[in-house]
Amino acid sequence: MERGRARWLQSGGRLSLSTMDVQTRKMAQLLDNDLFLEKVGVSGGSDGPSERGLPSRRNVTITDLELDNGLLVTHVNQTQDLLKVQKNKVHSSEMQTTEEWLRIHGLESMQLTLEDLIKKGTFVLNAENATEQIEFTAETVVNFESKLSEVMQLYHQRIQWLLEDSRRVFGLIKGTRVGLLVDVSDISCGPRLLDFQKNLLCLIDEQLCYKKQLYFLSFGTEISFPWENPTNVNVHVLHKARQWVQELKPSGGCNLLKGLKKVLTKTDLNSLVLVVGCCPDQSSEILSDYIQQCTLGRKLLVHAVTYECSNHVPPAILKNLTAVVGGRYHCYSSKGENYDSSDIHLLLLESQKAKALLNRIKQIFPGRTHDLLVTRMQEISTDFAKVMPANFLPKHESPLVIQMPTFLAKTSASWLKTNGLKAKKLSLYQVLAPNAFSPVEEFVPILQKTVSSTLHERAMMQFEWHDGTVKNVHVDPPILYHYQKQLARMVRIYEKRIDWLSVGSRRIWGTICERRVVILVDMSVINSLYIIYIQHSLRLLLEEQMSNKDCFNIIAFGSDITAWKPEMVPSVPDNLQSAWRWILSLQCKGSRNFMSALRRATEVDFKDKDEHGSQGIYVLTTGVPDQEMHAVSAYVAEVCGGCDLQLHVCLFNITGDLDNSSIIPARYASPNETASIFKEIVRAANGRFHWFGETGIYESDDISIIMSEMEKAVNYSQKCALLVESLKQCSGSKFPNQFIPEEDLKMLLKKEKSRPQKLPSPKATAVTLARMNTRDNCDGEKNAAIRALTWRPTSAKAEIPPSQPLKEWSQAGQKKKHKSRKQPEISISVFYLDKGKNVGAVYRKYPKTKAVRRSVPFAALPKEEEMCSSKEWLSKHGLKKLKLELPRIMFGPECLHQKKMVESLHKKVSARYCTIFPSVEIKGTVRHLQLQPKELEEYVEQLERVLQRYVQRIQWLLSGSRRLFGTILETKVCILIDTSGSTDPYLQQVTQELTSLIWEQLRKNDARFNLLRFAENTEAWQECLVEATDETCHDAVQWVSKFQAYGNTCILKALQKAFSFQDVEALYVLTDGKPDTSCSLVLKEIEKLRKKQTIKIHTISFNCADRGANEFLKKLASHTGGRYHRCIGDVDGQLAAHRMLTEGFDDEDDPVFPFFEGDDLKKLAQEVAKARSFLIQAKSFRLLLEKWKLDQKDKSL
């Protein structure tokens, strides 16, 4: 009976669906519009075959028509109205954000959670053990699973819909009054302007045309907009918007803040769309703060879109921005599907919840199913595999986009050695130590008992120290408040470190810190469904972290071991691309023979591990190895002990179950057990453990140690608050949370000064005593002159010294006679005046005037570039030569703060100018600032001029042929070019640069030169040096164009050949690796040759990642008086120089030059860094002087 009823319900459902389809087809037949069927989602073939899209006649009956809705079709205008109404219904139901859509279709709203399933069961009492159980009918469980599968399919359809048309590029635009900000900077719009315009036009036609009001604005260096205020949408407005899009042109930088300042004044908008293609000129903190301030009290949805970003920085900035302001985020790249979008991310999380619930149901009811249900479950698993996040990762057909890291990555433990609380001297015990005192107990004989020291309850508290002892601590609330602010700043720095560790390849692999790396990849059969994850992980690693390594190799292991190369190879772009192509050909099979892969890496790739440092093995796996844990740990401890070799494990968590049709691995463990096993292995190898999955990072040693430091900072801050609160309770005073503001503090000080004070009794002044002593004493003219000088004030602000008794004054005068101090040579006549007993003095011989302090010197800098090395150039135009070193200008010998013992006062007294000039502590000594703010301002101007000239010099060194070859200084030179087989990938670039060198430097400077190429043998262009004329330069270029790469690198033969040329002054050697012979042998032979003929050898390293080879080239240049040059970081250097010249030098840490290894660029970059530090110090000193002067004015009031 029940089966018949269920069958009747199912057939009734089908009949209802068929009726709806017939009604839709009938309306489409009347309207003759195929687009209508596509919009409402009805296919043409569900009811049988038909002609030209017409429905089957057997289903067309009058009774199937809908009720009259007031829009019966009697005229073409009514037809258009009906179409518009139906279209708006469909549009309004689809144009919802994922948050709004999931409120209706989420698992909780559709009652498809585990709690909802339990509610459908029946509670019964088990008579055997008297426990409650829940019973479910098979139909209940089947229906629940069926609904879950339908919901998962619905999520998949929603994701597919979001990845279509303009939604794929810009996401789903929410809001009725929309403002659109478009990035038209040179970087984002230059090469892809046409595609960008097409996508914007598609956005207008598909989404923005349905809005009520629109406002468009483009921003680059300047902003542009088609109309001043938000405008109601109509045909003319949309036409003007399309014209505006077609007229967009690249416009300089990416000044997003300027665009926001304009658009956020339009308070009518309720949605703001930011389309950015490169890194904004401002930081995310500045942008988010500005948006929050401008949108306070109003509802504005911010939707950020990153369009075709080539690196990860702009997406990270905009993602942080939207997280702070509570907006939505979307990332688009034409090379692959979108895999980082707010809408899609929420749908994927909901899909994963549904899948986890299905797996949970299988565990609860393991033996309840029949064949039909098992088949259905397999279909559900297959359907979900189609909507897994792996399908939304970037496609892998394109070559790698290799990025060169600007700095060497560090582990978090190494990073905290310089950035931790203890390293920054921000440990609570380091801050409290100067004011912490141990309690003292002593025996008092009078009391006949031991007495302990007491503490002042209003200023000191007892505090438990880190070693368990208790100390008496003086609590200063302002210092502790400042310390808490420093802790908060450090916590923000640690948060940024964690964010950096959680993006890109570091989310999967952590930080690759070693120079020699071998990667072990788990390719067992259980990873078949996750092969795209593994490929994507390796692609990110090769693109982002491997380009600055010395050498590397990749080993894939399943049941068998497959290595990419027999041994490790240099990490150059060609090898990285080759490794990527090899990765794409890998297939998953077998179990996890981890031990064989590890032995292959340690015994072949790291066979000489004792001779090298900074070596690491990185393992990417999904489960426990086939071998036992204790055997693997013992082997790892033996191999990694006694050498610089670490083993790091990256565990990828698979949430799905094993496929019964596949080969089951030899050993299985739960995720937690697997993590514990690999932690033991990593601990034995002194490595790091990293555990991640589809939803993010579960555990990471690098992140855990940063979190521990953050918790320590929070703990210190809480202890500070506890100390201050305890002091309040003990003293009975109430300190405000932010302490006393500066203005209120000044008012309190003024009131304190204005209070009447008791004046001391009048005493005789030192002048009066001196007159009396002068009148009674006739020691001669010289002593009188000295006494007359003592009456003069020591400075303009000096006060009359306090009075002394007559006996003390006479004793002081007698003691002065016995001093061996040299007195000034002055001749003065002293006499009494007519009126009273006053004394006068006339100078006969004036004292020698002291040298006046020199003002800031003017820096004379050359306008034209000089053909000389940076060492020679800085000897003429460096900061020391220009006398612009800040310590030399500000802190002479007379600026040193000194205290001398005054015997009459029996104490040490500061120098006389201590009250006139402010003081600062520099390197442990107190010095006085004697420059005025205006002089410091002049110094800042001079230093900025010098800095600009230095940066222009660096730009010149990075331009033209100097970028690769450096500067050719001599006029009689020989250029030696390495054409061995390793130079084949970039030999064409070398020949082009060499051609530029011939015309730009040799011909221009009228040099005499020769060219010599070397590989297995040597070949010279000419037998001797020749003049650089037009004919010889043309001939040299023709000879260079025939270069071919082959053979080995015989540098010694080439140098011996070059030394045979007569009158040669210098050799310029360009190579990409070590010589075939011993490096020490080459150096010894060259030393012998230089005894006969002194010739400088300048070495040039090109695309050489071998540290040993670069060290050899440095030694060869330094031993022969030459210079070392390496072409690395030139693009970053040009960018940093451009930003310095445009943005200024206010920030010492941004922008900065990359690490230049070449002698010329390195010395100049170091001088720039020194000048920038002086500039920052000078500006801080100027602010200090201005603040000190204001304080002096306040005190004088």
Side-chain angles (χ1 to χ4, degrees):
M1 192 71 178
E2 291 294 326
R3 292 181 180 177
R5 184 181 180 185
R7 193 180 299 111
W8 179 81
L9 286 173
Q10 292 178 0
S11 63
R14 287 197 297 271
L15 288 175
S16 299
L17 181 61
S18 175
T19 303
M20 292 175 62
D21 291 349
V22 169
Q23 293 169 2
T24 304
R25 287 191 181 82
K26 189 173 294 182
M27 186 62 68
Q29 182 182 9
L30 293 173
L31 301 180
D32 194 17
N33 192 329
D34 294 335
L35 181 63
F36 180 76
L37 288 176
E38 297 176 4
K39 288 294 182 181
V40 297
V42 179
S43 62
S46 59
D47 287 326
S50 60
E51 291 183 37
R52 299 182 181 178
L54 298 181
S56 175
R57 293 185 179 181
R58 60 194 175 112
N59 290 329
V60 181
T61 59
I62 298 299
T63 57
D64 290 336
L65 288 174
E66 291 182 354
L67 295 177
D68 182 11
N69 59 1
L71 289 173
L72 292 178
V73 181
T74 58
H75 193 268
V76 66
N77 293 334
Q78 293 179 352
T79 302
Q80 294 175 355
D81 293 339
L82 182 58
L83 280 172
K84 185 175 181 181
V85 169
Q86 297 289 351
K87 186 176 181 181
N88 287 339
K89 287 181 180 179
V90 177
H91 181 78
S92 61
S93 64
E94 290 179 342
M95 296 300 290
Q96 295 177 335
T97 62
T98 300
E99 295 90 341
E100 297 170 345
W101 190 83
L102 286 176
R103 289 171 192 167
I104 303 173
H105 302 92
L107 295 178
E108 293 184 0
S109 59
M110 298 185 73
Q111 297 181 354
L112 290 177
T113 62
L114 187 59
E115 291 79 5
D116 297 321
L117 177 61
I118 294 174
K119 290 178 183 177
K120 295 181 180 182
T122 303
F123 289 88
V124 295
L125 183 65
N126 190 346
E128 296 180 359
N129 51 14
T131 59
E132 288 188 349
Q133 295 180 346
I134 305 177
E135 290 184 353
F136 297 88
T137 62
E139 184 180 1
T140 300
V141 177
V142 170
N143 290 337
F144 192 85
E145 291 177 341
S146 177
K147 289 180 181 179
L148 274 178
S149 65
E150 291 174 359
V151 167
M152 292 168 62
Q153 184 65 25
L154 183 63
Y155 294 157
H156 174 61
Q157 292 175 357
R158 175 77 178 181
I159 292 174
Q160 294 297 333
W161 179 77
L162 287 172
L163 294 176
E164 293 174 354
D165 303 328
S166 63
R167 296 179 294 274
R168 177 172 174 266
V169 182
F170 300 101
L172 193 63
I173 307 302
K174 188 63 178 173
T176 57
R177 297 182 296 275
V178 180
L180 178 66
L181 269 73
V182 180
D183 176 13
V184 292
S185 60
D186 293 339
I187 298 176
S188 58
C189 271
R192 48 179 182 264
L193 180 58
L194 292 178
D195 293 337
F196 186 46
Q197 290 172 332
K198 290 178 182 178
N199 290 327
L200 284 176
L201 292 175
C202 183
L203 175 66
I204 293 173
D205 294 338
E206 293 180 2
Q207 298 193 55
L208 298 184
C209 62
Y210 296 107
K211 308 301 180 183
K212 291 183 180 180
Q213 288 184 344
L214 292 177
Y215 181 78
F216 290 174
L217 185 143
S218 64
F219 62 92
T221 304
E222 301 295 333
I223 60 175
S224 173
F225 41 87
W227 47 78
E228 183 64 31
N229 295 309
T231 308
N232 294 329
V233 176
N234 54 48
V235 176
H236 299 290
V237 169
L238 294 176
H239 178 68
K240 189 173 181 181
R242 294 187 186 96
Q243 286 183 336
W244 178 77
V245 169
Q246 292 172 354
E247 294 173 358
L248 289 177
K249 295 180 180 179
S251 173
C254 183
N255 194 350
L256 177 56
L257 182 60
K258 192 171 186 179
L260 289 173
K261 288 181 178 179
K262 178 67 177 178
V263 75
L264 290 178
T265 59
K266 314 303 178 184
T267 56
D268 296 338
L269 301 176
N270 58 14
S271 179
L272 181 61
V273 182
L274 309 176
V275 183
V276 179
C278 65
C279 189
D281 296 343
Q282 297 82 20
S283 63
S284 60
E285 291 82 3
I286 296 175
L287 297 174
S288 58
D289 289 345
Y290 184 77
I291 293 176
Q292 286 178 317
Q293 292 172 9
C294 294
T295 58
L296 194 63
R298 58 184 280 202
K299 293 183 179 180
L300 181 67
L301 178 62
V302 178
H303 181 82
V305 180
T306 57
Y307 182 87
E308 293 282 10
C309 292
S310 59
N311 57 50
H312 65 280
V313 177
I317 291 176
L318 288 187
K319 195 170 184 179
N320 292 337
L321 172 65
T322 53
V324 172
V325 301
R328 297 164 60 235
Y329 172 73
H330 187 86
C331 175
Y332 168 72
S333 175
S334 61
K335 297 179 181 179
E337 297 290 342
N338 183 352
Y339 64 98
D340 197 3
S341 171
S342 302
D343 289 328
I344 293 178
H345 181 69
L346 292 175
L347 288 171
L348 292 177
L349 290 179
E350 203 72 9
S351 297
Q352 290 168 357
K353 289 180 183 178
K355 182 188 176 184
L357 183 55
L358 280 174
N359 294 333
R360 181 62 175 161
I361 293 174
K362 288 173 62 179
Q363 295 175 1
I364 295 174
F365 310 103
R368 58 169 178 80
T369 61
H370 49 79
D371 294 340
L372 180 61
L373 190 58
V374 171
T375 304
R376 190 179 185 87
M377 291 300 299
Q378 290 177 351
E379 292 174 357
I380 292 171
S381 301
T382 306
D383 291 339
F384 185 79
K386 296 178 181 177
V387 297
M388 286 173 58
N391 291 281
F392 310 109
L393 294 174
K395 301 301 180 183
H396 298 316
E397 288 79 7
S398 59
L400 299 177
V401 182
I402 299 173
Q403 305 171 14
M404 176 61 70
T406 56
F407 59 92
L408 185 62
K410 295 181 179 179
T411 64
S412 292
S414 301
W415 185 79
L416 286 177
K417 290 180 180 178
T418 55
N419 296 279
L421 296 177
K422 189 173 182 180
K424 296 290 186 180
K425 297 183 179 180
L426 289 178
S427 170
L428 178 62
Y429 307 104
Q430 290 174 312
V431 175
L432 296 179
N435 298 321
F437 307 94
S438 299
V440 179
E441 291 186 355
E442 291 184 357
F443 180 80
V444 180
I446 299 177
L447 301 177
Q448 292 296 316
K449 65 178 181 179
T450 303
V451 179
S452 61
S453 59
T454 60
L455 55 91
H456 195 281
E457 295 180 353
R458 292 181 179 271
M460 300 188 74
M461 300 296 301
Q462 286 192 335
F463 184 74
E464 184 177 357
W465 215 244
H466 58 84
D467 56 358
T469 61
V470 177
K471 293 185 181 293
N472 299 330
V473 178
H474 172 72
V475 180
D476 192 346
I479 292 179
L480 292 182
Y481 173 64
H482 179 66
Y483 173 59
Q484 285 181 316
K485 290 199 298 183
Q486 288 179 311
L487 289 177
R489 180 175 59 84
M490 293 304 298
V491 168
R492 289 194 295 269
I493 293 175
Y494 297 150
E495 289 175 349
K496 290 181 180 179
R497 170 78 180 183
I498 293 177
D499 292 341
W500 180 77
L501 289 171
S502 304
V503 297
S505 62
R506 293 177 295 275
R507 187 183 72 86
I508 301 169
W509 299 89
T511 52
I512 309 297
C513 305
E514 293 81 9
R515 304 292 301 181
R516 307 175 77 235
V517 178
V518 172
I519 304 165
L520 305 184
V521 185
D522 179 5
M523 298 300 292
S524 56
V525 70
I526 197 172
N527 298 333
S528 299
L529 291 177
Y530 297 88
I531 182 65
I532 190 171
Y533 275 106
I534 296 173
Q535 291 175 347
H536 179 67
S537 303
L538 289 167
R539 179 184 178 92
L540 289 178
L541 177 66
L542 295 177
E543 286 182 339
E544 297 179 4
Q545 298 197 59
M546 295 302 297
S547 57
N548 64 339
K549 308 304 176 188
D550 290 344
C551 52
F552 77 107
N553 198 3
I554 304 176
I555 300 174
F557 65 93
S559 296
D560 301 325
I561 308 302
T562 306
W564 168 55
K565 293 289 185 183
E567 291 183 348
M568 286 192 289
V569 296
S571 181
V572 296
D574 289 343
N575 288 336
L576 294 175
Q577 299 287 358
S578 174
W580 172 239
R581 291 190 293 269
W582 177 79
I583 290 167
L584 292 176
S585 64
L586 293 177
Q587 294 182 356
C588 296
K589 55 184 178 180
S591 58
R592 298 188 184 94
N593 193 355
F594 174 66
M595 182 67 84
S596 297
L598 189 59
R599 290 176 65 91
R600 165 66 172 76
T602 55
E603 296 176 4
V604 178
D605 293 289
F606 292 113
K607 59 185 178 182
D608 53 350
K609 60 181 182 296
D610 297 331
E611 301 177 4
H612 298 276
S614 186
Q615 305 169 109
I617 300 175
Y618 287 80
V619 182
L620 178 64
T621 184
T622 57
V624 293
D626 296 346
Q627 295 77 20
E628 294 293 336
M629 185 269 292
H630 65 272
V632 178
S633 298
Y635 178 76
V636 167
E638 180 183 355
V639 169
C640 298
C643 63
D644 189 4
L645 175 63
Q646 289 84 32
L647 173 67
H648 313 283
V649 174
C650 306
L651 177 61
F652 176 37
N653 185 50
I654 296 180
T655 56
D657 293 335
L658 294 176
D659 188 359
N660 294 330
S661 62
S662 63
I663 301 175
I664 300 177
R667 299 181 66 241
Y668 175 77
S670 66
N672 291 331
E673 292 173 349
T674 304
S676 299
I677 290 172
F678 278 113
K679 285 179 184 177
E680 291 293 331
I681 296 174
V682 165
R683 194 176 296 113
N686 195 24
R688 289 170 289 136
F689 177 71
H690 187 82
W691 186 14
F692 71 100
E694 300 174 12
T695 57
I697 300 174
Y698 303 142
E699 184 178 348
S700 173
D701 289 347
D702 278 334
I703 294 179
S704 297
I705 193 172
I706 299 293
M707 293 293 294
S708 176
E709 199 74 5
M710 291 174 64
E711 292 173 358
K712 190 186 296 183
V714 173
N715 184 27
Y716 287 162
S717 182
Q718 291 174 350
K719 287 184 177 180
C720 289
L722 183 62
L723 277 174
V724 175
E725 187 63 28
S726 301
L727 182 64
K728 291 180 189 178
Q729 295 175 1
C730 293
S731 62
S733 61
K734 295 184 179 180
F735 295 98
N737 291 335
Q738 302 297 330
F739 305 107
I740 302 176
E742 189 174 352
E743 292 134 357
D744 297 344
L745 186 59
K746 290 181 179 179
M747 294 295 297
L748 291 175
L749 292 175
K750 289 182 181 179
K751 290 180 181 179
E752 188 70 23
K753 288 182 179 180
S754 61
R755 291 180 182 177
Q757 298 179 358
K758 187 177 179 180
L759 298 176
S761 57
K763 296 180 181 179
T765 63
V767 177
T768 304
L769 296 173
R771 289 174 182 167
M772 295 170 63
N773 192 26
T774 303
R775 182 180 59 186
D776 299 335
N777 191 5
C778 301
D779 291 339
E781 185 178 346
K782 183 174 181 180
N783 292 334
I786 295 174
R787 285 194 296 273
L789 283 177
T790 59
W791 303 341
R792 301 181 63 199
T794 56
S795 67
K797 292 187 178 180
E799 300 174 354
I800 297 177
S803 61
Q804 297 177 354
L806 184 59
K807 294 181 180 179
E808 294 181 7
W809 176 260
S810 59
Q811 291 175 1
Q814 292 175 3
K815 290 179 181 178
K816 285 184 180 180
K817 295 179 182 178
H818 300 290
K819 285 186 178 181
S820 60
R821 182 179 175 182
K822 185 177 180 181
Q823 302 295 341
E825 297 180 359
I826 306 170
S827 177
I828 299 179
S829 296
V830 182
F831 56 90
Y832 283 96
L833 300 178
D834 296 338
K835 296 180 180 180
K837 298 181 179 180
N838 298 327
V839 180
V842 176
Y843 281 91
R844 293 181 179 176
K845 185 177 181 181
Y846 290 91
K848 293 183 179 179
T849 59
K850 289 187 177 181
V852 180
R853 177 174 42 81
R854 293 168 293 179
S855 60
V856 178
F858 178 79
L861 299 169
K863 295 182 179 180
E864 300 294 334
E865 297 296 347
E866 302 176 15
M867 299 294 295
C868 60
S869 64
S870 292
K871 182 178 181 181
E872 183 181 353
W873 194 82
L874 289 174
S875 65
K876 296 185 290 184
H877 310 294
L879 295 176
K880 186 175 183 180
K881 182 66 176 179
L882 296 175
K883 300 179 181 179
L884 285 178
E885 291 179 315
L886 187 61
R888 178 175 180 176
I889 292 178
M890 297 196 65
F891 307 115
E894 68 276 6
C895 298
L896 185 64
H897 177 76
Q898 295 178 347
K899 287 187 176 182
K900 289 189 177 181
M901 187 70 185
V902 179
E903 297 180 1
S904 60
L905 301 177
H906 304 290
K907 65 177 182 179
K908 288 187 176 181
V909 179
S910 300
R912 60 184 181 182
Y913 44 73
C914 288
T915 59
I916 302 175
F917 301 105
S919 59
V920 293
E921 183 177 349
I922 298 177
K923 295 182 179 181
T925 60
V926 179
R927 294 180 178 272
H928 296 281
L929 301 177
Q930 294 190 12
L931 286 179
Q932 296 300 318
K934 191 165 184 179
E935 292 175 312
L936 279 173
E937 186 176 354
E938 182 184 352
Y939 174 77
V940 168
E941 292 178 0
Q942 293 293 327
L943 204 57
E944 286 180 345
R945 282 183 57 247
V946 172
L947 272 170
Q948 288 180 355
R949 186 64 187 86
Y950 288 170
V951 174
Q952 291 171 1
R953 175 79 177 181
I954 290 178
Q955 283 184 321
W956 180 75
L957 290 175
L958 290 173
S959 63
S961 61
R962 290 175 294 274
R963 183 187 67 86
L964 177 59
F965 290 95
T967 310
I968 307 298
L969 305 180
E970 297 80 8
T971 56
K972 300 176 182 179
V973 296
C974 179
I975 314 296
L976 287 74
I977 308 298
D978 181 4
T979 59
S980 58
S982 58
T983 63
D984 184 56
Y986 37 83
L987 185 60
Q988 184 178 0
Q989 180 185 355
V990 172
T991 55
Q992 292 175 355
E993 296 289 343
L994 185 56
T995 302
S996 176
L997 171 72
I998 293 171
W999 290 105
E1000 183 181 2
Q1001 296 197 58
L1002 300 179
R1003 178 68 181 95
K1004 186 177 180 181
N1005 298 332
D1006 295 328
R1008 297 183 65 216
F1009 73 102
N1010 197 0
L1011 305 177
L1012 188 147
R1013 67 157 193 85
F1014 60 93
E1016 291 181 348
N1017 50 19
T1018 62
E1019 180 184 356
W1021 169 54
Q1022 300 289 343
E1023 293 299 325
C1024 61
L1025 304 183
V1026 297
E1027 295 287 343
T1029 62
D1030 292 343
E1031 292 78 8
T1032 56
C1033 289
H1034 279 295
D1035 187 26
V1037 170
Q1038 291 294 326
W1039 185 75
V1040 167
S1041 63
K1042 299 176 183 179
F1043 280 176
Q1044 292 184 356
Y1046 66 92
N1048 299 325
T1049 308
C1050 57
I1051 292 181
L1052 182 57
K1053 292 182 181 179
L1055 291 173
Q1056 290 172 343
K1057 176 69 174 177
F1059 266 81
S1060 65
F1061 297 144
Q1062 191 176 1
D1063 298 334
V1064 66
E1065 296 176 352
L1067 307 179
Y1068 287 80
V1069 183
L1070 183 141
T1071 182
D1072 69 337
K1074 285 184 179 180
D1076 296 340
T1077 55
S1078 170
C1079 296
S1080 58
L1081 176 63
V1082 174
L1083 295 174
K1084 290 180 182 178
E1085 293 296 326
I1086 294 304
E1087 191 64 30
K1088 293 178 182 179
L1089 292 173
R1090 291 190 77 249
K1091 291 180 180 179
K1092 303 176 182 177
Q1093 189 177 3
T1094 304
I1095 297 176
K1096 293 181 180 179
I1097 300 178
H1098 307 280
T1099 56
I1100 304 163
S1101 172
F1102 180 64
N1103 274 3
C1104 180
D1106 188 353
R1107 187 181 304 172
N1110 289 325
E1111 290 298 328
F1112 161 70
L1113 294 178
K1114 289 180 182 178
K1115 289 182 180 179
L1116 181 60
S1118 62
H1119 290 180
T1120 59
R1123 292 168 296 129
Y1124 170 74
H1125 181 77
R1126 187 181 181 192
C1127 177
I1128 185 172
D1130 53 332
V1131 177
D1132 295 336
Q1134 286 280 17
L1135 179 60
H1138 175 72
R1139 288 185 59 193
M1140 287 181 189
L1141 293 177
T1142 55
E1143 300 175 8
F1145 307 92
D1146 293 334
D1147 191 352
E1148 187 178 1
D1149 299 326
D1150 183 51
V1152 295
F1153 285 115
F1155 179 71
F1156 293 123
E1157 294 189 19
D1159 293 341
D1160 283 341
L1161 289 171
K1162 184 178 180 180
K1163 285 183 172 61
L1164 209 51
Q1166 290 173 350
E1167 196 75 5
V1168 169
K1170 185 198 296 185
R1172 292 181 73 177
S1173 65
F1174 289 160
L1175 184 65
I1176 298 298
Q1177 291 178 14
K1179 290 182 178 180
S1180 64
F1181 289 154
R1182 183 177 61 185
L1183 293 176
L1184 178 63
L1185 281 171
E1186 292 174 353
K1187 184 179 179 182
W1188 184 81
K1189 284 195 172 184
L1190 291 175
D1191 294 341
Q1192 293 297 319
K1193 288 182 180 179
D1194 293 338
K1195 291 179 181 179
S1196 62
L1197 294 177

